[in-house]
Every structure is written in C-alpha cells, then in structure tokens.
Amino acid sequence: MGLDRRAFLGLVAGGTVGAMFTPIPWKLIDDASIWTQNWPWIPRVPKGQVDYVATTSKLCPAGEGLKIMRVAGNPILAGGNASHPLSCGGVSALARSEVYMLYSPARIKSPMKRNGKTFAPITWEQALVEMAEKLGAAKGAVASISGDNTGTINEVLTALTAKLGSAGSFMMPSEATTAAKAMKLMGVQGQAGYDFENADMVLVLGADIFETWGTSSRNRKAFGANRPAGAKPANTYVYVGPTRNNTAAVCDQWVPAAAADLGVVALGIAWHLLKAGATSNAPGFDTFKAVVNGGFGPEDVKRATGIAPETLATIAKALASAKAPLVVTGSPFGQGLGAAPVIAGMSLNMLLGRINKPGGVSMLPELPSVVPGALTRAAMLDGDLPAFLKGVESGKTPAPKALLIYDANPAYGLPEAATMAKALEKIPFKVSFSSFMDETAALCDLVLPNSLPLERYDDVATPYGSGFCVYSLVRPIQKPICDTKTTGDVLLGLARKLSIDLKFDNFQQVIKEKVASLTKVSGGFVAKDVMPWQVAAGKPAPALVGGDLWKALEAGYAWTMVGQAAQPAMGFAAEVLAKAVKAGKPATATVLAPYAQLRTGTPVTGMPCQDLTMVPDTELKGDTTFIRVNSETAKALSLKKGQSVKLSGAGVDCQAKVHIFESVMPGMVAAPLGFGHTAFDYYSQGKGANYLSLAAVAEEPGSGLSMWIAPEVKIA
Amino acid sequence: MSGQKKEFPITWGMVIDIDKCTGCGACMASCQTENNVEPQREASNKLRATSWMLVYELTNDKAFPNHDIAYLPRPCQQCGNPPCVSVCPVIATDKNENGGIVSQVYPRCIGCRYCVAACPYHVRYFGWYDPIWPEGMDKTLSPMTSVRPRGVVEKCTFCHHRWTQAKDAARVAGKDPENLDDGAYVTSCVQNCPSGALAFGDIKNPKHKVHELVKSPYAFRLLERLGTETQVYYISRREWVRKLGDNYLKSE
C-alpha cells in the first residue's frame, strides 16, 4: 500500500489537529514554562508547621510588642502585637526588620581582636582573658557607654564599671537625656510620660512624635484612634518646627519655626495664657511670669520667629479651651535639644494644669533596680557624653584607660563625629559589644558580638515618651546563628573572672529577678483586657497575680502601671529659661535642619536591607543624598534642582544634591540622617553623607547641657 | 476604556485614609517581607526597583508657607475592569475569582511587559534581576508566596494567601468561609500600619467597615474617569488631595 502525497498531508493535518485536542502539548508547554523558572539559584520557600510567638522589639526604640511568625521553629516574619500597649498591632519598618537582620551581612560572626588594621577571630575564652587582663590593669579609669535606654543590661554594665573604678557611665544622647536634665532642673524625679490617648488637643513643639520621638508606634495608634476615616477628628494636633516632617504632614496645623526658637514659641504662648489669667502655685511662678512678660510678648516673638501674634493667640486659646490639652517638646531629629525648650514646654503644661492628669503629663517612677551597685537610669541620663568626649579630645578631661561600649555607635551617631572619633582614639583599650560591624566597632580593640534580640533574653522598661510605666520581655526564640553571646552573660562572666560579685550568674537570672521585683510594685497590672490609658481615664486597674507575671510576659503581654512618683512640687526653673531662651534676632546664616526616620535604621543597626527600597529617590539617588531647601532659599543661595553642593560645618565637608521642597522654612537646609556610613554592609556603606557630623556642639547657658539643635552650615 | 466591570459576590477592597498616613513606609516593609521581594542593593534606581506597595509623596504645588504634602500608599488597585488583563497574551493575569483580586500566575508569564505598559497605576514590576538574598537570609522567606525568577512580572495580590488561610480558619471554626467576619482577612500592610490608616474588607458586605467607608463624601479612587473601577479607595478631607486623584482640567 502506497502513501501518496494527499494521504501524507491528510495524516499530518489529522495528526496535528488530533494532537491539539489532547492535553499533551499544553501540558508540555506548561511544564516547560515552569522548568524555565525553576533554576537552582532561585531560593525555595521553607516548609513546616506555622506558629506565632511573642517578644518585644529591641532594635526599634519605640519598643513595640511583636508577634513572630515561625515556620518549623524558625522565625520568618515580625508583625505587630495587638495585645501590646506600645504596638496595638502596629509595627515600624525598623521593628519589622528584627527577623531578617539575623542574617544581615554586617553581623559580626565571632569574637574578634584587633590585629593591626584588621581583626582576627578569637575564642570567647581568649576574649575574656584578654578583657580581664586589660580591665584589671585599667582599674580606676574604666568608662562605659550604652545606647540602650530601656534595658536592665545597663544595671550590669554600670555596676561592673563602678566596681572597676568608674571614669563615667554614659547614655548616648537622645530625647530622654534632654528631658531628664530638664526634669532635674525643675526639681522633679521620674521620666516625663505623655498621655496621648486621653488628650484632645496636642501642641507638638519640635518633637517628631510619629517617627523618632519616644513610643512612636503607640503615639500614632493614639492619634489614629481618635480620627475616624473621613469624619471630623476628635482631637487636634498642632506641630511647630522647621519642616513639615512626617509628624507635621498629618497634623491639623504646621507652624513653621526654627528648632532654635522652640523655647521662644513656648514662652510666647505662655504670655497669652498668663494674660488670660493662667496662674500656678508651683515654685518659681513669679519669676517665670516676670521672664515671660519681660521678653516674650507677641511682638518680641514675631521679631524673633516670624510667627504672627494672632497665630500664637489662637493656639493659646485652643489650649486653654480644650478639655485635655497636652504640650510635647522635643528635637525634630531626636537629639541635640537643650533643656530649656523642654522646660518651657513643660511650663505650658503646668499653666494649663496638666501635670498628673488624664491626657496630661506624669512623672513616671523608675522601676526597681536589682543589680547591687548599679546606676539608676536617672543617674546615667545625667551624664553628658558629647561634653565628656570633647573634653577627652581637647585634653581637658583625662582619657579613660578602657571603654566598654554597649549598643552604641558614638563614632557615627554623635555630632562633630570627627572630634568624637579623635577622642575615642585617645582611649587605649576599647571593647565593643555591637552585633554589627559599625563605625565604632571598627575602632575598637576587641569586638564581642552581642546576640540579636531574637536570640537572647532582654527587656524593655518604660521607653521615653510612654504615658505609663511599662515593662515587656525580650526572649530568645532562636539559637544564636553566629558565635555570639548575650552581653549580659559576658559581663557577668567577666565579673567572675575579676572576682567581682554582681550577685547573678547569668543574665536570665537578672531578668527573672527584675520581673519578680515588679510584683511588689503597688498598682502594677498586666495590660490585657484593660489598657493603661483606660486606667488613667478612671477605669479600675485589675489586680496583678504575681505568679503569672512571667508567663504573661512570655505570652506577649506587658506589665504596666499608671500614675506618677510621689515627689516635691515641680518648679518653673525660670532662672534657666531667663539665661537660655532669648527672643533675639532671626539667624541670618544658613541653618541645618536634620530629620531622622526609622526606615534608615539607627546608628547601631545601619540601614536595614529591606528598608533601602523605602527611601525615595528625592532622598537618595545612587550614592548621593539630597538636601531639601525651599525655592526662596534656593534663589538666595543660587541653588538649582539637582545641583551638586558641598556643605561645611564643624570642620567637616559633606556632599549633597539639591531637592527643592517648599515645606522647609526659608534659610533652612533640611538634611536626612541615617546615611553616610563607612562601616556595616553594602546596603549602608557609602550611601550618601552623615550630615550629623556637620553639627557643632555648644553648651546651653543655664543648664550647661551640650546642644546642637540648629547648627550653621555653609553651602558651596 | 473598553470592556466591562466584572462583578463578584465578594469584592475585597482597601480604604486608605491619606490624612492619617505619615509616610513612614511600614506598609512597604510589611509587604516586602510578607511577599518575598528580595532586598535591592541599588533600590534608589526606581526604574528597576520592585515595591508592590509604594508610598508616593503628594504636594499641592504651592510655595512656602502655603505648601502642603500628603502621602499616598499605592498597592495594586485590583481594577474591576483591569487594563492589564485584556493585553496579556498568555492569560498570566486574570480577574476570574470571587473576591475580585487580579491574579498573577508567574509560571505563565512570558515577560512581554504589555501589562506593565497598560497599567495606569504603575503597580506592575518586571523582575530585572535574579532574586538574591544575602547569605542565609533566604531562611526567613515566607512560605506563603513563591519566589519569582527574573524575567516575569509581579504585583500586589492583596496577600491572597491570607484569604486562603482565613477561609481555612473559618472552616475549622465551623463558620462560613464565604462570609468572613470583618478583620478575619486583612493584608499585611493593613495589619501592621502603625497609624491605622489602612482598612480592608468586603466592600459588598454591610458588616464590614469598608462597606460604609467607600460611601464617604471624602472617598475617591485614582483615575476614576478611566473606568477601571478600582477596588482601592482613598479618603481625604483635603480637597487638593482628592483633586490629584484624577487629571482634572483647571476649569473642573
């Protein structure tokens, strides 16, 4: 039987049509398309049972409670904990990074010892021997720096430093250090706590309360809870500051004012309140009244700040007529503010009768100390680290023989970075307990990496800004990935080696003792069904069942307490205001107005790798960061959009490009912080400039506190 | 715009209160890790960077001191009449499931980028690079979303996997998986927003908060006149913000 042409074509056509009606070609195409995307270098997602465990963010200063999603026991995602009063379900970009930062390329993988210009890995035992030998020889001249405002680790660190002969135990400067100085000058004890949840009118003087100031996630939740979408807000927020920053962007009103003039604005409002009859029995009221009436009338303030008299009169009237007004003062970039503006802002709260009231300010007591010989938080906050290091650099202060640095990066995160780095160079033996290879660790002789928060026991006690005392637990949910140890354990091991008795064998014991001590604090309760702001508003606080506290903390609930410490009456500290706050002439030079954002990390975290995507290209493009000026300033300085410029200040030059942004005051140069790292990994290193290094430190008259709130810069 | 809006019994929608958004980026951070978007070294090159959720800065274009700003988080708008679907030559993207979420099937995608060009909201991202995590960080990948290779297009899915989980949870609890409680299914960005600026739910379900929110006189959608019938609504009491939602003439 022959196959003619017609039959052949028929067979081919029939076969083709038949094949098209079978699933075979489609299945093959589908499989091929999957195979083309199935390369060995494409990561596979993990498989296993999913569960959730609770802890608290330590990387984020806002101290949010977290729910960590795990797969087969491995942490995968960090989300907000709806049951935690500092989270209420929200989480910052920085707190979200807690999990993936476990594998940050900048992590220090083992203890290391300096070997010339590089580091060589050593064992923990070698590290302890080396440290014991050097610290033993440095006795009487050992200093310590902590960047952790909220941890009980500070008790271990300061107690050890004291037993070694302290040359000073310092906290990195922050809003908390400034506020502590202000409260001390006003004659009160405790940490100022702000009850946003119950306030109906909030005047924000400078503080970036929704980004870097205090408990920012909780602040935002409190703000949002009273502002139903599309409806009339149940609260009013007014922001005073040099730029329309993330806080001002959602406030009902932005009043442009230089950061150097925040005290002037506060006293200008006080003038209106006093005129309307506000009075106080607090010590120093008469002097305060004389100071305000003597130099902060509407025309004085207008001349100094450019703010129209009717603007401040309207704000004063709104504050006086609100049921629960609240005044919050802070730095637009989280540091560098003098004590006087905080005193001036607090004076408004006093004139309005807002101390220890729902929706007002309370002086929160410090939680009990458990390590013998430790400094209190107030004592640590009283130190002035920039002044100390400047003294060391200039030779006026003897350089300590050894320095212990915990959770801090002073070589990057302080103003006048060049001066601070020189001071650090003068200290012969430095130990960093950083988890990441930061700028300061790179200068140290020993680097003893701390385990990350998901790998260790730690705690968060009343972050600055919280309206109530709060304590929550950080607990290990993952074994250390690298050869790291909890610094608390390392310090206690070192103490044993030096025959110093700090009462505890390991840091978990310290934390357990701390938790046990909370059960003895009167009025404390676990925030579960009742939240602390409800108690502040009058709801009865539930009783605390002592034995269950550890379990409750492990489950992600927080211990809280409402109310302030018993103490003498708060004074106006008018003599400080008289010296430090002046309604002078406006600055004629160009002034730097730095701003900070959690998405660029902190000096100790560097830029979390996932957060780099969140930085807009009007802030970072390639390796260059942008400064922001309005069109009036640009014209005055002959600047154009996209122009490359050099900023100079404090003997340092920084490169930038120009972005025209109208929500910056004339004469101000807004500059983002968190860039310009020389250490860390490729997500941080070499990205832009560190504009904080341009800020020169000055001494505030009246308080003696170091300040760098409005540094002058030159642009070329 | 040709085509007609596809209707479904359930219509998942997001309502974003612009007046509460501080522009912090927590929604972007939540989205990236939830959906296995890799960390990008050169993320400042926005033509190549991937961000399923992106926060835009809006301004009223006035000079100081009358200048004002607002932040607009932008997920996939899940159009009722999606321009991306009609141009896809391989049906890698479709709107064919109850809930109205526009799908994206990565293995089917041939990377032609017609959908990228067609989308008026710029929500679609082409993978220019192999997805690479720093060493070890791939251990933190979410099991809920597959990792996409380079060469395909990806976009926000309203965290579709969370809907599946919520339905499973409802079944276990003996509830109707097709009638979830308000809040039983929310996206990662909505859950983690510290300001509470984002709300999520079934727009057609009167028991869900978003059902009322979309009727607010301050609610608007982006580029409404294109007829895309998006399932993402924005709310702002500021008129200039609402006006930026579409290309209005000065006389309008």
Side-chain angles (χ1 to χ4, degrees):
Chain A
M1 177 181 142
L3 181 66
D4 62 9
R5 181 173 175 275
R6 181 178 292 267
F8 174 75
L9 289 175
L11 261 177
V12 169
T16 305
V17 171
M20 296 298 279
F21 278 98
T22 72
I24 293 168
W26 310 112
K27 178 65 182 159
L28 288 175
I29 291 170
D30 193 36
D31 283 357
S33 69
I34 292 170
W35 294 333
T36 59
Q37 299 183 8
N38 201 17
W39 303 108
W41 58 84
I42 307 292
R44 298 285 180 270
V45 298
K47 290 178 180 172
Q49 187 178 347
V50 174
D51 66 353
Y52 293 84
V53 288
T55 185
T56 310
S57 178
K58 206 61 187 164
L59 295 184
C60 178
E64 302 102 322
L66 299 177
K67 278 278 166 89
I68 306 290
M69 186 180 96
R70 298 190 303 184
V71 174
N74 295 316
I76 299 292
L77 294 170
N81 181 354
S83 307
H84 193 278
L86 300 184
S87 165
C88 300
V91 69
S92 70
L94 184 53
R96 181 77 171 173
S97 76
E98 289 269 6
V99 173
Y100 66 77
M101 288 294 268
L102 289 167
Y103 299 95
S104 165
R107 273 203 83 171
I108 301 164
K109 293 183 172 56
S110 72
M112 292 197 294
K113 183 184 174 183
R114 174 167 293 286
N115 183 10
K117 287 187 175 177
T118 59
F119 287 96
I122 54 172
T123 66
W124 279 101
E125 185 52 34
Q126 287 170 328
L128 274 185
V129 169
E130 170 98 11
M131 201 162 43
E133 183 190 319
K134 291 282 173 57
L135 292 178
K139 270 194 174 176
V142 178
S144 61
I145 300 173
S146 172
D148 179 357
N149 277 336
T150 60
T152 306
I153 180 68
N154 288 332
E155 293 185 24
V156 179
L157 182 66
T158 58
L160 178 65
T161 309
K163 293 269 169 86
L164 287 167
S166 176
S169 284
F170 299 92
M171 204 84 100
M172 284 289 280
S174 65
E175 301 277 12
T177 45
T178 306
K181 186 75 176 179
M183 294 306 103
K184 188 180 175 188
L185 291 167
M186 296 180 91
V188 292
Q189 295 168 348
Q191 180 175 294
Y194 296 84
D195 183 4
F196 292 106
E197 287 85 354
N198 292 309
D200 64 351
M201 160 87 198
V202 180
L203 171 65
V204 186
L205 296 169
D208 198 353
I209 58 171
F210 297 148
E211 192 61 46
T212 52
W213 181 94
T215 51
S216 58
S217 287
R218 165 229 162 208
N219 303 347
R220 278 178 273 178
K221 282 287 180 184
F223 167 81
N226 287 313
R227 298 171 88 92
K232 195 177 175 216
N235 53 26
T236 305
Y237 278 68
V238 176
Y239 182 79
V240 180
T243 63
R244 194 190 289 272
N245 56 14
N246 288 14
T247 296
V250 291
C251 284
D252 300 285
Q253 186 184 358
W254 171 43
V255 180
D261 291 334
L262 293 172
V264 177
V265 174
L267 296 185
I269 294 170
W271 187 91
H272 288 281
L273 292 174
L274 290 170
K275 190 180 171 222
T279 187
S280 170
N281 294 323
F285 175 68
D286 291 338
T287 317
F288 175 77
K289 196 171 176 181
V291 169
V292 171
N293 287 333
F296 297 93
E299 290 306 320
D300 300 318
V301 176
K302 185 184 175 187
R303 191 179 59 251
T305 67
I307 299 173
E310 54 272 24
T311 304
L312 292 194
T314 307
I315 293 172
K317 198 174 170 187
L319 285 168
S321 58
K323 283 183 186 166
L326 174 65
V327 181
V328 185
T329 313
S331 162
F333 55 103
Q335 55 174 279
L337 190 65
V342 181
I343 295 171
M346 196 58 77
S347 301
L348 294 179
N349 284 315
M350 292 166 72
L351 289 177
L352 293 162
R354 303 304 301 146
I355 307 300
N356 203 20
K357 296 275 173 61
V361 189
S362 300
M363 299 306 138
L364 305 175
E366 208 166 305
L367 302 185
S369 182
V370 294
V371 180
L375 285 187
T376 61
R377 184 187 293 187
M380 273 195 91
L381 290 170
D382 199 35
D384 188 336
L385 180 60
F388 175 74
L389 288 178
K390 278 192 83 168
V392 169
E393 191 270 338
S394 65
K396 287 178 186 165
T397 306
K401 289 178 184 165
L403 177 65
L404 306 176
I405 304 160
Y406 177 80
D407 202 30
N409 183 5
Y412 171 87
L414 288 177
E416 289 191 41
T419 310
M420 303 306 164
K422 278 183 200 164
L424 291 172
E425 279 172 16
K426 284 191 164 186
I427 301 170
F429 181 65
K430 298 176 285 293
V431 183
S432 168
F433 297 98
S434 175
S435 303
F436 305 105
M437 184 47 84
D438 59 34
E439 285 82 356
T440 305
L443 295 174
C444 285
D445 303 280
L446 276 181
V447 183
L448 308 182
N450 193 10
S451 297
L452 278 176
L454 296 189
E455 303 168 325
R456 69 177 196 244
Y457 274 107
D458 208 329
D459 56 1
V460 175
T462 320
Y464 177 68
S466 172
F468 39 86
C469 288
V470 57
Y471 181 90
S472 39
L473 188 64
V474 177
R475 66 195 185 101
I477 58 170
Q478 154 99 46
K479 283 183 183 171
I481 289 164
C482 308
D483 185 14
T484 61
K485 286 191 176 186
T486 304
T487 300
D489 290 336
V490 176
L491 293 177
L492 291 168
L494 176 69
R496 275 198 303 279
K497 228 175 188 54
L498 291 165
S499 303
I500 293 171
D501 182 15
L502 292 180
K503 187 180 161 187
F504 298 96
D505 291 329
N506 60 60
F507 193 56
Q508 189 182 350
Q509 285 176 1
V510 178
I511 298 289
K512 286 211 162 180
E513 180 84 7
K514 187 84 175 181
V515 172
S517 74
L518 296 178
T519 59
K520 296 166 195 154
V521 177
S522 170
F525 65 98
V526 174
K528 203 171 183 180
D529 303 316
V530 179
M531 284 291 159
W533 47 88
Q534 294 173 309
V535 173
K539 201 168 182 174
L544 177 70
V545 184
D548 293 341
L549 183 56
W550 182 264
K551 277 186 185 173
L553 293 171
E554 276 194 319
Y557 296 105
W559 174 94
T560 65
M561 190 185 70
V562 173
Q564 71 172 16
Q567 55 189 298
M570 178 184 268
F572 278 93
E575 63 288 353
V576 178
L577 294 176
K579 286 178 187 166
V581 184
K582 304 280 183 195
K585 287 182 183 172
T588 49
T590 308
V591 174
L592 192 70
Y595 61 97
Q597 297 175 333
L598 290 175
R599 65 186 177 206
T600 53
T602 65
V604 292
T605 64
M607 176 85 71
C609 62
Q610 285 285 12
D611 292 3
L612 196 54
T613 313
M614 280 153 241
V615 178
D617 58 2
T618 51
E619 211 160 76
L620 174 73
K621 183 84 176 166
D623 290 336
T624 310
T625 31
F626 287 76
I627 53 165
R628 297 179 164 210
V629 292
N630 75 16
S631 52
E632 187 183 329
T633 312
K635 193 175 174 187
L637 297 171
S638 304
L639 301 177
K640 287 182 181 160
K641 182 184 172 187
Q643 183 182 337
S644 293
V645 292
K646 184 175 77 178
L647 280 75
S648 306
V652 175
D653 295 336
C654 287
Q655 297 297 319
K657 282 190 175 181
V658 175
H659 175 57
I660 307 296
F661 183 67
E662 296 294 340
S663 279
V664 180
M665 279 184 72
M668 299 277 165
V669 177
L673 299 185
F675 296 98
H677 284 286
T678 55
F680 291 98
D681 52 25
Y682 38 76
Y683 295 101
S684 299
Q685 209 173 77
K687 304 270 187 204
N690 177 14
Y691 299 114
L692 191 59
S693 62
L694 298 168
V697 177
E699 186 182 305
E700 184 185 41
S703 73
L705 186 66
S706 294
M707 55 178 264
W708 54 98
I709 191 64
E712 292 183 1
V713 287
K714 287 184 178 167
I715 300 183
Chain B
M1 187 66 59
S2 62
Q4 288 194 334
K5 184 187 177 189
K6 286 193 174 180
E7 294 287 350
F8 301 95
I10 297 172
T11 304
W12 295 116
M14 193 181 290
V15 180
I16 298 173
D17 184 352
I18 290 179
D19 295 345
K20 276 199 276 200
C21 176
T22 65
C24 71
C27 54
M28 293 175 69
S30 295
C31 174
Q32 291 191 183
T33 40
E34 174 94 9
N35 292 296
N36 293 337
V37 176
E38 78 277 14
Q40 297 151 76
R41 287 191 192 200
E42 301 304 327
S44 72
N45 181 355
K46 301 302 178 191
L47 292 175
R48 292 286 184 269
T50 299
S51 43
W52 291 11
M53 172 63 111
L54 182 62
V55 178
Y56 286 89
E57 183 184 279
L58 311 180
T59 87
N60 65 353
D61 265 347
K62 292 185 177 174
F64 176 88
N66 299 314
H67 187 247
D68 196 6
I69 56 170
Y71 294 100
L72 184 142
R74 186 240 51 204
C76 173
Q77 305 290 300
Q78 315 294 354
C79 303
N81 176 22
C84 54
V85 167
S86 56
V87 299
C88 180
V90 292
I91 321 179
T93 185
D94 203 355
K95 190 176 179 88
N96 60 359
E97 187 191 22
N98 194 9
I101 296 172
V102 177
S103 65
Q104 182 70 23
V105 185
Y106 309 118
R108 274 191 210 159
C109 178
I110 56 173
C112 70
R113 287 170 274 162
Y114 287 1
C115 57
V116 177
C119 175
Y121 304 104
H122 301 288
V123 307
R124 294 181 157 273
Y125 291 89
F126 180 72
W128 292 94
Y129 310 107
D130 279 324
I132 296 171
W133 276 257
E135 188 183 350
M137 205 181 281
D138 54 350
K139 292 190 180 77
T140 67
L141 287 175
S142 162
M144 312 303 175
T145 316
S146 62
V147 178
R148 289 75 58 191
R150 77 173 172 196
V152 300
V153 171
E154 54 189 77
K155 70 161 192 82
C156 157
T157 61
F158 267 3
C159 291
H160 187 281
H161 52 274
R162 287 182 169 228
W163 185 23
T164 309
Q165 290 171 331
K167 283 194 284 190
D168 286 347
R171 287 186 191 101
V172 170
K175 293 181 178 178
D176 179 6
E178 299 302 321
N179 186 19
L180 295 174
D181 295 337
D182 196 12
Y185 161 41
V186 294
T187 60
S188 179
C189 53
V190 172
Q191 183 192 344
N192 289 316
C193 172
S195 302
L198 282 65
F200 188 82
D202 179 5
I203 292 168
K204 288 186 175 165
N205 188 337
K207 292 177 186 166
H208 287 204
K209 199 168 75 174
V210 294
H211 178 76
E212 288 303 319
L213 287 178
V214 299
K215 297 175 190 165
S216 163
Y218 301 116
F220 66 102
R221 293 185 284 185
L222 298 181
L223 304 175
E224 277 195 82
R225 296 194 291 195
L226 288 180
T228 45
E229 300 282 349
T230 62
Q231 288 169 212
V232 177
Y233 290 73
Y234 293 90
I235 287 184
S236 178
R237 291 185 298 124
R238 288 176 277 185
E239 191 186 358
W240 71 265
V241 173
R242 295 197 299 273
K243 278 211 156 190
L244 280 179
D246 213 330
N247 296 307
Y248 294 102
L249 298 172
K250 280 189 178 174
S251 57
E252 288 182 277

